[in-house]
Amino acid sequence: MQKAISEGEKGFGFVTPNPLVGCAILDSQYRLLSTGYHKKFGGAHAEIEALLGLSEEQLKGAHVVVTLEPCSHYGKTPPCAEALAKLPIASVTYGVRDPNPLVSGGGIEILKKAGKDVFYLQECQNACEELSEIFLWNMQHKKTFVALKIASSLDGQIALQSGESQWITGEEARHHSHYLRGGYDAILVGRNTIFIDDPMLNIRHPHFEGKKNKVVVLDPEGRLLKNINQYQISHVHEKEDILFVVREDKKIESYDHNIISVGSDFSGRLNLEDLVTKLYEKKIFSLFVEGGAQTYSEFLSQKVFQRLYLFQAPVIIGSKNGRSWSESFSVQKLKEKLHLKNLKSQRVGDDLFLTARMNAE
């Protein structure tokens, strides 16, 4: 199964709104025959990719290992479960049942009726769920999957009070950050990030050469709309790919921009649950949040995120003249602290990279 998961990861950034799926096929003696993964939306699924070039003789008594239950419906491609059912394989092992109501359990039933042994590998469920986490979240909640990406000092500072932030982490961390960007449909920042940093917010990684992403800007008062043409995002991105999020009670003149109006509370704070519902309706299935400090704090306070990516540089800036990525987030009691799970860490150049899932209650 680990081999299948590794294969599935290769589709990162190319399969939305489909899930990342990997497959490994073993012969009757449990020796590896082939592997495959879902390469792009509309293309062959992982099982079909793994079957390419294999003869029925090779497949006699073979064992198929796949990260997600084989599909049982006709979509862009024919059902994988039906294709497997017609082959002389002995078994299919899967890691996660497909929550899609068009599939859920259907693929398993097709295989069982064809006389194949079907095994659910429970010990690999968490790893398989993480592989397809965006798809699973979309299917279960009908909302956009949100990841927070932070680059900070060891003491949690992302900039100076002046706004200076380039660069805290190293070149390798920034390179990996662009790779992560490539896996998401849109990047979100607050208005001040545009105003202070004037970023391009595009994907600059060779693995995703030519890929375009959308940009979401939190601008409750609509202040950027009059002069957005002076900022880089308006020259790097098509106008229809830039979405401005404003309060629904704010009357915005028409500037021929893509505007999303969302609810707010009495203090004017945007309702982020409302936002991710509306983004999902616009077929933005995953969102990569890149700051700034106030924006991160709002997503933390409202608990509207599913994954955290944190790059920490081996430097200390200090809070007296620094800005923390959680500066406006607080809890009154320790029992209210946010819990994360499945923490993973690695070195990226001189920096430490950590990632974890939000532990939904």
Side-chain angles (χ1 to χ4, degrees), residues 314-334:
V315 299
I316 296 173
I317 293 174
S319 59
K320 187 173 183 179
N321 192 37
R323 297 200 65 180
S324 165
W325 59 275
S326 61
E327 65 181 18
S328 298
F329 168 74
S330 65
V331 297
Q332 300 305 311
K333 298 179 181 179
L334 279 178

Side-chain angles (χ1 to χ4, degrees), residues 160-197:
L160 299 181
Q161 290 292 342
S162 64
E164 182 185 354
S165 62
Q166 298 179 348
W167 298 104
I168 292 175
T169 53
E171 185 175 348
E172 293 92 339
R174 296 195 294 276
H175 183 72
H176 189 55
S177 177
H178 275 278
Y179 173 77
L180 294 174
R181 274 187 185 183
Y184 287 77
D185 294 338
I187 298 172
L188 180 145
V189 296
R191 181 185 68 84
N192 285 338
T193 295
I194 301 294
F195 181 72
I196 296 170
D197 294 339

Side-chain angles (χ1 to χ4, degrees), residues 283-298:
K283 300 189 184 303
I284 294 178
F285 301 107
S286 57
L287 189 65
F288 196 64
V289 178
E290 292 211 48
Q294 185 63 38
T295 297
Y296 290 136
S297 294
E298 279 301 319

Side-chain angles (χ1 to χ4, degrees), residues 1 19 21 33 46 52 90 96 121 139 165 182 188 201 231 238-239 273 282 286 310 326 336 353:
M1 183 62 81
V21 182
L33 275 176
L52 291 176
V96 179
L121 200 59
M139 279 289 163
S165 62
L188 180 145
L201 300 178
Y231 296 101
E238 300 295 331
K239 182 177 286 189
E273 287 285 0
K282 288 184 174 290
S286 57
L310 175 60
S326 61
E336 298 170 352
F353 172 62

Side-chain angles (χ1 to χ4, degrees), residues 4-279:
I5 292 170
S6 297
E7 284 294 306
E9 290 170 348
K10 295 177 182 178
F12 181 67
F14 297 103
V15 303
T16 185
N18 285 354
L20 292 170
V21 182
C23 178
I25 299 179
L26 312 175
D27 68 14
S28 60
Q29 302 302 309
Y30 295 94
R31 295 170 298 198
L32 184 65
L33 275 176
S34 67
T35 59
Y37 67 98
H38 185 32
K39 294 181 178 179
K40 62 179 181 179
F41 176 67
H45 288 187
E47 300 94 319
I48 306 305
E49 287 283 347
L51 288 168
L52 291 176
L54 296 181
S55 66
E56 289 209 3
E57 185 64 30
Q58 289 175 296
L59 290 168
K60 283 183 180 178
H63 308 277
V64 176
V65 180
V66 63
T67 57
L68 185 70
E69 173 190 353
C71 65
S72 58
H73 71 293
Y74 283 86
K76 293 284 185 180
T77 59
C80 294
E82 288 187 6
L84 293 172
K86 295 173 183 177
L87 296 172
I89 61 173
S91 72
V92 174
T93 299
Y94 69 98
V96 179
R97 177 173 287 205
D98 193 330
N100 187 337
L102 296 174
V103 178
S104 188
I108 296 168
E109 287 305 309
I110 288 173
L111 292 165
K112 286 183 175 179
K113 286 180 179 179
K116 313 302 179 186
D117 292 329
V118 181
F119 302 103
Y120 160 53
L121 200 59
Q122 186 173 5
E123 53 265 42
C124 291
Q125 179 178 327
N126 285 340
C128 291
E129 285 179 343
E130 284 203 1
L131 177 67
S132 298
E133 62 184 4
I134 294 173
F135 169 80
L136 295 173
W137 179 264
N138 292 162
M139 279 289 163
Q140 291 164 2
H141 301 277
K142 306 303 179 187
K143 295 178 181 179
T144 300
F145 182 96
V146 177
L148 307 183
K149 185 237 102 179
I150 295 117
S152 80
S153 61
L154 280 180
D155 56 338
Q157 310 305 306
I158 61 172
L160 299 181
Q161 290 292 342
S162 64
E164 182 185 354
S165 62
Q166 298 179 348
W167 298 104
I168 292 175
T169 53
E171 185 175 348
E172 293 92 339
R174 296 195 294 276
H175 183 72
H176 189 55
S177 177
H178 275 278
Y179 173 77
L180 294 174
R181 274 187 185 183
Y184 287 77
D185 294 338
I187 298 172
L188 180 145
V189 296
R191 181 185 68 84
N192 285 338
T193 295
I194 301 294
F195 181 72
I196 296 170
D197 294 339
D198 190 19
M200 292 188 287
L201 300 178
N202 58 347
I203 302 165
R204 301 188 295 279
H205 191 284
H207 186 67
F208 298 103
E209 186 174 355
K211 182 179 180 182
K212 294 183 178 181
N213 60 311
K214 296 182 185 296
V215 173
V216 180
V217 182
L218 297 186
D219 188 14
E221 309 293 330
R223 294 175 183 172
L224 283 175
L225 294 174
K226 289 184 179 179
N227 59 356
I228 190 61
N229 288 336
Q230 75 183 50
Y231 296 101
Q232 289 194 91
I233 60 168
S234 65
H235 305 294
V236 174
H237 301 271
E238 300 295 331
K239 182 177 286 189
E240 61 269 20
D241 289 337
I242 305 174
L243 296 83
F244 294 89
V245 182
V246 303
R247 295 201 328 253
E248 63 183 6
D249 63 347
K250 187 71 177 175
K251 293 185 178 179
I252 303 295
E253 296 180 35
S254 175
Y255 293 103
D256 192 30
H257 291 296
N258 202 341
I259 296 174
I260 301 177
S261 297
V262 300
S264 60
D265 64 12
F266 66 91
S267 66
R269 295 169 61 209
L270 295 173
N271 184 324
L272 297 179
E273 287 285 0
D274 188 21
L275 173 60
V276 294
T277 299
K278 289 179 176 176
L279 288 175

